[in-house]
Amino acid sequence: MSSTIGETLDIEKSHESFEHIYNTCWRYYRGLEHSLVETRRYVTFDKSNFSTFSLEYLRIILATCGEVDTVGKCLAQIADPDFKVKNANILKWRTAIRCAKPSHPVWADCPDDFSLPTEGTVVMLDEFIELNPWNDFVDKCNLDGGDASGREYSELKKLRWWDDYTILKHHRISFAGGSVISDFDSANLRNALNSMAALYTLEKALLGAVGTVDDLAADIDDSELFAPRLRMMTSSDIEELVESLK
């Protein structure tokens, strides 16, 4: 069973596509996640330990955020066929995802667990710690003007865990006054958990984009860390709901 998902998208919802993404992307995510779970033997996953940093967290954050960028660009291409991957940064691909309405044909019939993440997406860690990895990222969707695809990119806030990742990737070691300066403080538990939670939401959305209704209904979330995510209504959701009631 397969169904075409969009007149301009060269992609189909099918069991074969779902299995391919599951075996490549989701299983890779699970490997990253398991590496983070293994650190729990030494550091309890508690807010009081969020500032704890280590070389292992550094390795996990670098790998996880690299995959966030890869999957994010893939979702942006699905959400907006005019999206260009070349030279795209997180601001551009995240805005393309954010500007996709909940009624987008690709995700319209998906359960919330498989929908596109928004600034209102909450991921539960062990069912007692709430993580909201996208809450600091606010972008503006100008559907009446802007660029050719109807998007206007406007960065009002940044993602703390992503900014820390870029520091770790590009500037964790520097030289000043003849001395070596290193900054590993950002390789901490908080950033490891939030980046992993962000990747979790993107991976689920990618499965939702390619899986059939039967695939999504039969899927068993085998995450070792996160419970199926909740989604709070955003201002865009409320506006769309009001319009539908008129």
Side-chain angles (χ1 to χ4, degrees):
M1 176 182 178
S2 65
S3 58
T4 302
I5 55 172
E7 298 179 355
T8 60
L9 296 175
D10 185 21
I11 185 173
E12 286 189 344
K13 283 180 175 282
S14 68
H15 180 65
E16 291 74 18
S17 296
F18 182 85
E19 280 196 325
H20 179 73
I21 295 299
Y22 187 92
N23 289 329
T24 54
C25 298
W26 179 256
R27 286 190 172 177
Y28 179 60
Y29 161 77
R30 286 286 287 108
L32 292 172
E33 184 190 67
H34 185 70
S35 295
L36 182 55
V37 170
E38 285 290 290
T39 69
R40 196 176 216 161
R41 294 188 296 167
Y42 313 103
V43 180
T44 300
F45 288 179
D46 186 87
K47 290 183 178 180
S48 62
N49 289 328
F50 271 12
S51 61
T52 301
F53 61 94
S54 73
L55 290 177
E56 182 64 7
Y57 290 148
L58 170 64
R59 184 186 68 82
I60 291 170
I61 291 168
L62 293 179
T64 300
C65 289
E67 189 70 359
V68 164
D69 199 41
T70 297
V71 179
K73 289 175 181 176
C74 182
L75 288 172
Q77 287 181 288
I78 299 173
D80 178 7
D82 294 321
F83 176 79
K84 306 300 181 184
V85 173
K86 187 176 180 179
N87 298 324
N89 57 24
I90 188 172
L91 173 60
K92 291 185 177 181
W93 66 250
R94 179 64 188 130
T95 300
I97 292 174
R98 180 63 189 88
C99 289
K101 297 295 185 181
S103 58
H104 191 291
V106 176
W107 291 276
D109 298 326
C110 291
D112 276 354
D113 286 0
F114 296 95
S115 61
L116 286 172
T118 72
E119 68 270 20
T121 296
V122 176
V123 179
M124 300 301 297
L125 171 65
D126 295 338
E127 300 184 357
F128 67 90
I129 295 179
E130 291 187 359
L131 298 174
N132 190 346
W134 304 107
N135 71 326
D136 286 334
F137 192 101
V138 180
D139 46 70
K140 180 169 60 178
C141 303
N142 180 4
L143 301 181
D144 298 320
D147 64 17
S149 62
R151 272 64 168 163
E152 179 180 327
Y153 303 119
S154 176
E155 189 174 20
L156 303 180
K157 291 184 179 180
K158 296 182 178 181
L159 296 168
R160 176 178 177 180
W161 55 269
W162 183 266
D163 283 354
D164 285 349
Y165 155 68
T166 60
I167 291 173
L168 290 171
K169 181 179 180 182
H170 300 291
H171 307 296
R172 68 178 179 273
I173 300 175
S174 59
F175 294 90
S179 301
V180 178
I181 300 175
S182 61
D183 181 7
F184 287 96
D185 292 7
S186 296
N188 55 47
L189 178 60
R190 177 191 292 106
N191 288 330
L193 288 174
N194 275 291
S195 60
M196 194 67 69
L199 181 57
Y200 171 79
T201 64
L202 296 179
E203 295 282 5
K204 296 284 283 188
L206 186 56
L207 288 171
V210 301
T212 66
V213 172
D214 292 339
D215 288 323
L216 303 185
D219 181 64
I220 298 176
D221 192 323
D222 59 351
S223 170
E224 294 182 78
L225 284 177
F226 306 121
R229 60 194 172 97
L230 307 174
R231 182 174 178 275
M232 299 180 292
M233 291 192 73
T234 65
S235 57
S236 297
D237 296 332
I238 295 173
E239 291 174 6
E240 187 164 326
L241 177 61
V242 171
E243 286 296 321
S244 68
L245 296 176
K246 289 182 179 179

